Amino acid sequence: MKTFLLFSILLSAITLPVIGELTVEDIEKIDAKIQASETRIREDFGEKIQAVDKQMNSNFSWIKFFLTIIAAIVGIPQIIVVWRSRKDKAHEQEIEELRNEVEILKQQRIVNP
């Protein structure tokens, strides 16, 4: 036990100067290291943000590309259907007009054989 106490006192005496106050130079050195670390962190963070931005732009470009393809796949058949329905309506009107003319001709023939 005496050895342990003696050893503790010896270590305390050796470490006593280390527990002193920080000098202005020490604070300036610490501040310089903090500033350097902060600059490095900002640069790394900026690079990572640029990489994420570039990836997002690339992903957005692919999304626009696929949406354009989907719109074409869905839109073109719809346009064709609308165009054909208009054409069919025009044909139906012509057919109806011809039927009316045929009916008129039949009635004229029946009346004037």
Side-chain angles (χ1 to χ4, degrees):
M1 185 72 167
K2 289 181 184 178
T3 309
F4 179 72
L5 185 61
L6 183 62
F7 186 68
S8 296
I9 292 172
L10 181 63
L11 283 178
S12 295
I14 292 173
T15 59
L16 195 60
V18 175
I19 302 178
E21 293 183 14
L22 293 174
T23 63
V24 174
E25 291 115 15
D26 293 338
I27 294 174
E28 288 174 355
K29 286 179 185 178
I30 292 171
D31 189 42
K33 287 184 179 183
I34 290 173
Q35 292 295 331
S37 296
E38 187 176 305
T39 304
R40 191 185 83 237
I41 289 171
R42 285 186 183 177
E43 289 173 358
D44 290 345
F45 191 67
E47 290 173 4
K48 289 179 181 179
I49 286 178
Q50 288 176 352
V52 168
D53 188 39
K54 188 182 294 184
Q55 183 67 36
M56 287 179 62
N57 286 337
S58 174
N59 290 344
F60 186 66
S61 297
W62 279 107
I63 289 171
K64 285 193 307 187
F65 173 73
F66 287 125
L67 286 177
T68 304
I69 289 175
I70 290 170
I73 289 171
V74 171
I76 290 173
Q78 292 298 321
I79 291 170
I80 292 171
V81 167
V82 169
W83 178 68
R84 282 188 180 173
S85 68
R86 287 184 183 172
K87 199 173 184 182
D88 289 343
K89 285 181 183 178
H91 286 200
E92 287 177 14
Q93 286 177 348
E94 288 178 22
I95 290 171
E96 190 62 35
E97 290 174 7
L98 290 174
R99 280 188 186 151
N100 290 338
E101 287 181 21
V102 168
E103 284 297 320
I104 292 172
L105 290 174
K106 280 183 184 178
Q107 288 177 358
Q108 286 178 354
R109 190 163 192 205
I110 292 174
V111 175
N112 298 326

